[in-house]
Amino acid sequence: DAKTTQPTSMDCAEGRAANLPCNHSTISGNEYVYWYRQIHSQGPQYIIHGLKNNETNEMASLIITEDRKSSTLILPHATLRDTAVYYCIAMEYGNKLVFGAGTILRVKS
Amino acid sequence: EAGVAQSPRYKIIEKRQSVAFWCNPISGHATLYWYQQILGQGPKLLIQFQNNGVVDDSQLPKDRFSAERLKGVDSTLKIQPAKLEDSAVYLCASSHLAGGYNEQFFGPGTRLTVL
């Protein structure tokens, strides 16, 4: 599965959109982009995944560039409860999740 | 629906002792995973079960770690004997199917401290 690169940490003001970037320049055509997050003292939680098209659900939106070499997870109105580590994972359907260090998102009031 | 249950939540032992963790997955989930998460790192898969069979245990230190999933439901992970470097959070996760849509549901984890 392709390696992903994420910033170590980011800050966001409460109520503003949080835009978390992920680079996956070696992604293959069969690999999806998955996002999970992990709130302090909890297990990871699935957020969203996509292949080519942009995706949106009740938690977030996923924007994938046309060449699929990078993507952005958007939390439209960040709250203090969104403070967490966010993991971007590129993997083929059915393969095992391989977590990197992720991005620490701090939402501040 | 009830989530993935794990116990105990915390455990402190001395090196060379043994310890066991228990996981009850979401009802109906065929696939069960055990992860190890060292402080400051992402979770690392130790073992994956499909029903009661092992699918992947390539990263399980088999000289000291063992896991079983009797009757394809609950699972236990054991460490014997424990080393200092085993201090970590042990996460259990389950998913409806192996392969396909990979939404895994994680439990709260067991924090192990080895002194």
Side-chain angles (χ1 to χ4, degrees):
Chain A
D1 295 326
K3 177 179 167 57
T4 61
T5 304
Q6 299 178 251
T8 302
S9 64
M10 296 180 61
D11 291 339
C12 176
E14 189 177 22
R16 304 296 294 268
N19 297 291
L20 292 93
C22 180
N23 182 283
H24 32 79
S25 58
T26 62
I27 197 169
S28 72
N30 296 329
E31 289 179 313
Y32 288 71
V33 179
Y34 286 81
W35 284 85
Y36 278 72
R37 74 178 182 183
Q38 187 170 22
I39 295 169
H40 183 63
S41 295
Q42 296 182 21
Q45 175 192 25
Y46 166 84
I47 301 173
I48 199 168
H49 77 287
L51 182 63
K52 296 180 183 177
N53 300 322
N54 298 336
E55 303 288 345
T56 295
N57 62 21
E58 64 278 5
M59 289 183 67
S61 294
L62 174 61
I63 308 298
I64 302 174
T65 57
E66 193 169 342
D67 62 9
R68 302 210 323 121
K69 293 185 176 182
S70 66
S71 60
T72 301
L73 179 74
I74 301 172
L75 308 178
H77 305 286
T79 70
L80 298 178
R81 288 190 299 271
D82 292 320
T83 292
V85 179
Y86 287 77
Y87 298 101
C88 171
I89 302 165
M91 56 177 278
E92 288 194 17
Y93 227 36
N95 281 3
K96 61 186 178 186
L97 290 173
V98 179
F99 292 86
T103 295
I104 299 170
L105 175 68
R106 290 181 287 258
V107 180
K108 299 183 176 183
S109 58
Chain B
E1 74 187 347
V4 175
Q6 291 188 247
S7 68
R9 290 296 312 277
Y10 305 92
K11 189 73 177 179
I12 301 173
I13 62 173
E14 295 192 350
K15 61 183 179 183
R16 292 187 289 273
Q17 286 187 323
S18 62
V19 64
F21 313 125
W22 174 82
C23 172
N24 181 244
I26 292 173
S27 177
H29 279 193
T31 308
L32 185 147
Y33 312 80
W34 282 102
Y35 289 83
Q36 179 193 59
Q37 186 171 23
I38 293 171
L39 186 65
Q41 300 180 17
K44 181 183 82 171
L45 179 68
L46 292 176
I47 189 167
Q48 176 184 342
F49 291 94
Q50 170 76 8
N51 295 311
N52 60 352
V54 175
V55 173
D56 184 348
D57 63 356
S58 57
Q59 297 203 82
L60 186 73
K62 299 180 186 63
D63 57 334
R64 297 184 301 106
F65 286 64
S66 64
E68 60 182 8
R69 190 182 184 198
L70 298 176
K71 300 180 182 178
V73 181
D74 293 5
S75 178
T76 56
L77 176 69
K78 297 179 181 178
I79 307 175
Q80 182 179 10
K83 293 185 175 181
L84 296 177
E85 60 261 35
D86 299 331
S87 293
V89 175
Y90 291 85
L91 294 159
C92 179
S94 69
S95 65
H96 185 52
L97 294 171
Y101 182 48
N102 247 5
E103 181 177 358
Q104 294 184 22
F105 296 84
F106 284 80
T110 296
R111 182 177 297 277
L112 173 67
T113 302
V114 182
L115 302 176

